[in-house]
Amino acid sequence: MRPPSRIPNLGGARVVILHRKHATVSAIVRQLSAIGAKAIECWPELSASAMSADFIIFDADQGYDEQFPWERGHAPMPIVALVGTEAPGRVEWVLNQNADTHLLKPVGNSGVYSALLIARSKFEQRMRLHGEIEDLRSRVGARQTIVKAVIILSARGFNEDDAYDQLRNLAMTWRMSIEDAARQITGHNN
């Protein structure tokens, strides 16, 4: 017996196509319609509704940074590059945009569905990794604050072990995490 499919239904997804009028756009619109997704065409600027789109498919050949209202490489949704030329400068630009996947032009009768699924998967993976990195940075910062608090307590006559125990006891007395107690002691209350 096969396990249930984890492939999501893309029906109802809003897909912005940032590309000039072209047969490629028509092929993408047909494929999106077949899977029940809504196509929103725009060129050369992203429409205001783009920020709430589920996906953006963009022209890698004629695209430029200013088309995107976010910092380069930090799209808030999965993005798919439409690549027609393999000029090194264009490929580098797509890489800098942090495209989640790509489609080769000319687009025919297939490819959009799998590109959207791959893009969503890569985007979600990138967002998870970003969250983990931010958590680790926060934890490293908290540890540095704990070390500073232990140093402050050590300067009051405690050895390192006793200073750490004192910090832990203060955290329990104050009913807060050891990190928050360390922030109180060091004056880093942000």
Side-chain angles (χ1 to χ4, degrees):
M1 182 191 262
R2 293 172 66 178
S5 175
R6 295 182 355 178
I7 303 298
N9 179 349
L10 295 178
R14 296 177 65 245
V15 182
V16 171
I17 305 168
L18 182 60
H19 196 289
R20 67 201 178 289
K21 291 282 184 197
H22 192 270
T24 292
V25 174
S26 299
I28 293 169
V29 170
R30 277 193 308 274
Q31 289 183 55
L32 290 172
S33 177
I35 62 174
K38 179 181 181 197
I40 303 161
E41 298 178 50
C42 55
W43 184 262
E45 304 289 326
L46 279 176
S47 62
S49 64
M51 292 304 289
S52 63
D54 297 300
F55 299 91
I56 293 184
I57 299 175
F58 67 94
D59 184 2
D61 299 334
Q62 294 190 20
Y64 50 95
D65 288 342
E66 291 75 20
Q67 286 180 303
F68 304 110
W70 51 77
E71 185 181 335
R72 181 195 290 191
H74 296 281
M77 74 284 292
I79 60 174
V80 178
L82 284 166
V83 178
T85 179
E86 293 181 332
R90 288 281 84 195
V91 173
E92 181 179 12
W93 182 77
V94 169
L95 292 172
N96 288 333
Q97 292 303 325
N98 217 359
D100 296 296
T101 195
H102 71 282
L103 282 167
L104 293 177
K105 294 192 246 179
V107 174
N109 293 322
S110 63
V112 171
Y113 178 71
S114 60
L116 294 178
L117 293 179
I118 291 167
R120 178 181 282 166
S121 176
K122 292 297 180 187
F123 177 80
E124 289 171 354
Q125 180 182 32
R126 187 164 27 96
M127 291 297 102
R128 273 192 308 277
L129 289 173
H130 178 73
E132 289 173 15
I133 289 168
E134 289 305 310
D135 180 56
L136 289 171
R137 284 183 179 149
S138 175
R139 290 169 62 189
V140 166
R143 287 202 173 124
Q144 291 171 342
T145 303
I146 290 170
V147 168
K148 289 176 185 175
V150 168
I151 291 169
I152 290 170
L153 293 172
S154 295
R156 296 179 184 164
F158 295 101
N159 67 35
E160 280 185 21
D161 290 337
D162 290 341
Y164 183 79
D165 287 342
Q166 179 66 24
L167 175 61
R168 190 170 38 80
N169 290 333
L170 286 170
M172 286 190 291
T173 301
W174 295 340
R175 297 179 186 259
M176 61 177 57
S177 71
I178 197 164
E179 293 86 357
D180 288 340
R183 284 186 199 95
Q184 290 288 326
I185 291 169
T186 61
H188 293 104
N189 295 325
N190 46 0

